[in-house]
Amino acid sequence: MDLARTEVKERPVKGRSRGSAARLGLMAVPVAFFALFFAYPVTAIVARGLHVDGVWQFGRITDVLGQSDIRHVLWFTTWQALASTGLTLLIALPGAYVFARFDFPGKQVLRAVVTVPFVLPTVVVGTAFLALIGRGGLFDELWGVRLDTTVWAILLAHVFFNYAVVVRTVGGLWSQLDPRQEEAARMLGASRLRAWRTVTLPALGPAVAAAALMVFLFTFTSFGVVQILGGPAYSTLEVEIYRQTAQLLDLPTAAVLTIVQFAAVGLILAIHAWTVRRRESALKLVDAAAVARRPRGAGQWTLLGLVMATVAVLILLPLGVLVQRSFDGPDGFGFAYYEELTSADGGAFLVPPIEAVRNSLQYAVVATAIAVVIGGLAAAAMTRRAGRLVRGFDALLMLPLGVSAVTVGFGFLITLDKPPLDLRSTWILVPLAQALVGVPFVVRTMLPVLRAVDGRLREAAAVLGASPLRAWREVDLPMVRRALLIAAGFAFAVSLGEFGATVFIARPDNPTLPVAVARLLGRAGDLNYGQAMALSTILMVVCAVSLLLLERIRTDRTTGEF
């Protein structure tokens, strides 16, 4: 009898031991990938800047931060990120409500449209606003107004870029909140505003905080938008790191700025992880399909109209002007700029610019495969909620979204140039850098779905003799197939748009689309400007088609944070 009790007690321990061993095994490949292709290059760059002649020069940190121009960069980086976050929440929260609570014709298409800017390269976003409010832009032609070197242009471009973050993060939770709780408050005498303030708003708080932190993170590390629209007077940390690294070759200053950005991003991600845990554990959610309904009354139809007008002005207008500029050739409306993409006579490239399309698609496919494998293993390792180990692992996976991509790209050049990792002259370097950005999107999309799978199904498969691999193939995969496709789609789209690291490592004879656009914009002449608009339009169309396909397979149960 005592022996039987002992055996019963030991079984859970062995199960937990096997579960922990399996989790560590799944973590091994992602940890090795991030250690080799993220931590190693970033650490090498920082060491190259601060470790001189065998001595660590930490005094350089105070010297750099004491410079007035660097303090101005830090101030502008923080100020514009706060302003961009506040403006994005103000404009996007009504849209989150409309997508969450209303059911109307064209909803899937409109959801894809508002998500297009988020997966566009920041270079293309800057180009779209340059076409709208920059030199010879729509505002310049109609009213003589040029805003391309003002803060307002940067803020509006950031709202354009991050509108979907708020709509998907807040709207995703809002669509699953039980409306009967707010209706009960109304029946007890609360006004509509008071019921929303006391019932719905506290429930939405973690989601709003998570969305705000993600928007702040993306705008705090903004690169392409500020580089194109800001001019010499405005520079974020990321832009300044690029300038110090690529133009001035001042690695000590770049290393200090990288450390500052790393510390800020680490704090933001720690707060974000806390808000996500609150959101996961605090609420009982319902089926989103049962909540959405047709708008009723003049007020709701007016709100829907205002949101659609906002989308038209904020998102469709810049994209439309971008397309219009790509067809506005020197001899009138036509395909002149697109035809010029097939020629290398302009001197900006060693190959015709159209080759950038093929290169980007090939790189993105490989990067997507890498991101899905690494992100899928990481999400599987975190399926069962655990303590600090899993939370720390989760934070590691998110770091590439905020740590300087410029530092990663330059780090690739100085670290991956010796056997056995002599990759600097190989094509695989670009997909590796792009996959670093794609992995967080795969994890954030896959993880909630994997956690929703009933673990007892896996246990039943194991009892029937299935190996862990077969159990995953027979139990998990059929349930998460849609989420896997969505994760792959997001990874593909963001890989297409990666710019910060790729600008360092893409070879001149194999440019990517974002690098080609930036290079064309950096050269004078209407021909280069028109070709940049044409390439940006091609990239925008590819991203839009990808997202429309994702919306066709999307369900409210197969989406994560993005």
Side-chain angles (χ1 to χ4, degrees), residues 4 33 60 92 94 127 131 184 260 312 367 394 461 464:
F33 178 82
R60 181 67 176 169
T127 305
V260 171
D394 194 8
L464 294 174

Side-chain angles (χ1 to χ4, degrees), residues 180-196:
R180 291 174 296 183
Q181 297 178 1
E182 190 172 326
E183 293 170 0
R186 294 287 308 280
M187 292 181 62
L188 293 174
S191 65
R192 184 180 298 273
L193 178 61
R194 184 179 180 185
W196 181 83

